[in-house]
Amino acid sequence: SSVLSIINLVDTKLIMYRLQTALGYSETYANILYGVYGKTLTLFNLPAAFVTPMTISIVPAIAAAVVQKKFAQGHDIAESALRISAVVAMPMGVGLAVLCDPIVNVLYPNSNDAGPMLLMFLGLASVFVCISLITTSVLQATGHELCPVWSMLAGGKVAVNWFLIAVPELNIVGAPIGTLACYVVICIMNYIFLCRTLHERLHIGRCLARPLLSTVLMAAVAGGVYAGLSAVMGGDLSWKRVALAMLAAMACAVVTYLVAVVKTRAITLSDMQLIPRGEKLAKVLHIR
């Protein structure tokens, strides 16, 4: 937690510094760019807010299994937690990326044109943030709490941002690209540490493949519905029409995703038991 806070603090100062020194932007324009970046960060943090409570609950569950030498049980809990986080994070993150343009224009009208591009990369990055949270919790539960620190340092977010922001074609967009690259590296490093510390390797494909398939179907529906409604309503849409098309696309995407998750069995009844009132929700969704 301390390492992440320090990195974010340095990153904030670095972005403003590089925009002004490397690209020659005025302080006013640099503040405008950082302002829209800060707005998209609010949405970027949303998926993690849903996953964080699970990271708190799985630590004692896995730790208890490890102490009792029930390694298979601890492994199953870890896989279930990873699968649930993927089912929650993937549609939210990819949804932010696919509908980045209407979301920014509806929530923050008349903001800088860089907003949608920033949200697209941050939406994708939020998926890896959630996966990193779960894998970090598993490492902590198994007594390897220093491993995530090395993973965060290996992510090199500050170093990547230093170079990317200085590219004129990227400027502020280099910051979310750096964030995405950082958390991809963290996830890879955490998985390597887990493979070396757990008695049985986590099956990433088994945990992520079906949620990913459901998310791809959802993204196709969301993008298709929004594009179709935009075409029907006309090219230059007013704020109300953009909001209407966006909400309709989101509604269709939610229905598609729920059906896909159930049909592909992306989440199981044992997974749902880790969630408060998960068994009741499983009955409503007919998850067995």
Side-chain angles (χ1 to χ4, degrees):
S1 180
S2 299
V3 170
L4 187 59
S5 298
I6 293 171
I7 289 176
N8 288 335
L9 178 63
V10 173
D11 192 42
T12 300
K13 298 295 182 182
L14 179 145
I15 291 173
M16 291 295 294
Y17 176 79
R18 292 298 281 169
L19 286 175
Q20 295 177 72
T21 59
L23 298 179
Y25 292 166
S26 66
E27 183 178 356
T28 301
Y29 188 59
N31 276 321
I32 291 173
L33 291 177
Y34 189 80
V36 71
Y37 178 60
K39 291 175 181 177
T40 56
L41 279 178
T42 303
L43 297 170
F44 161 72
N45 292 323
L46 188 59
F50 286 88
V51 173
T52 299
M54 186 184 304
T55 66
I56 297 172
S57 64
I58 67 169
V59 171
I62 295 177
V66 170
V67 169
Q68 297 172 26
K69 300 189 183 301
K70 298 178 180 179
F71 300 114
Q73 180 182 344
H75 174 270
D76 291 343
I77 295 173
E79 282 200 348
S80 290
L82 182 58
R83 196 156 41 241
I84 294 171
S85 66
V87 166
V88 172
M90 282 185 179
M92 295 184 69
V94 174
L96 289 174
V98 171
L99 298 176
C100 59
D101 190 80
I103 289 173
V104 170
N105 288 322
V106 169
L107 295 181
Y108 311 113
N110 302 319
S111 60
N112 189 271
D113 292 339
M117 188 67 69
L118 292 170
L119 183 58
M120 183 185 73
F121 284 108
L122 286 175
L124 297 176
S126 68
V127 177
F128 292 95
V129 170
C130 293
I131 294 175
S132 71
L133 288 172
I134 290 296
T135 52
T136 293
S137 296
V138 176
L139 286 168
Q140 291 173 341
T142 55
H144 300 89
E145 62 281 349
L146 283 179
C147 291
V149 177
W150 302 124
S151 297
M152 286 187 179
L153 293 175
K157 184 173 185 283
V158 172
V160 174
N161 284 3
W162 177 273
F163 293 103
L164 290 180
I165 294 172
V167 178
E169 293 78 12
L170 294 178
N171 55 78
I172 190 67
V173 178
I177 294 176
T179 300
L180 174 60
C182 169
Y183 281 101
V184 168
V185 172
I186 289 174
C187 289
I188 293 173
M189 292 291 294
N190 279 357
Y191 179 66
I192 292 173
F193 286 134
L194 286 171
C195 288
R196 294 184 175 183
T197 56
L198 291 180
H199 285 71
E200 185 179 348
R201 180 175 298 186
L202 291 177
H203 298 88
I204 292 295
R206 189 167 64 190
C207 294
L208 304 184
R210 292 178 180 179
L212 180 59
L213 175 60
S214 301
T215 301
V216 170
L217 292 173
M218 179 217 70
V221 170
V225 170
Y226 180 75
L229 289 176
S230 299
V232 170
M233 293 178 182
D236 189 13
L237 301 181
S238 65
W239 182 90
K240 289 183 179 180
R241 289 186 175 183
V242 172
L244 179 62
M246 180 190 72
L247 292 174
M250 287 181 173
C252 293
V254 169
V255 173
T256 301
Y257 186 72
L258 289 177
V259 172
V261 165
V262 174
K263 293 297 182 182
T264 61
R265 299 198 67 190
I267 192 169
T268 64
L269 181 59
S270 60
D271 297 335
M272 296 298 293
Q273 290 172 347
L274 291 177
I275 305 174
R277 301 189 179 183
E279 292 185 2
K280 293 184 178 179
L281 182 59
K283 290 181 180 180
V284 173
L285 297 176
H286 301 286
I287 296 175
R288 299 176 180 177

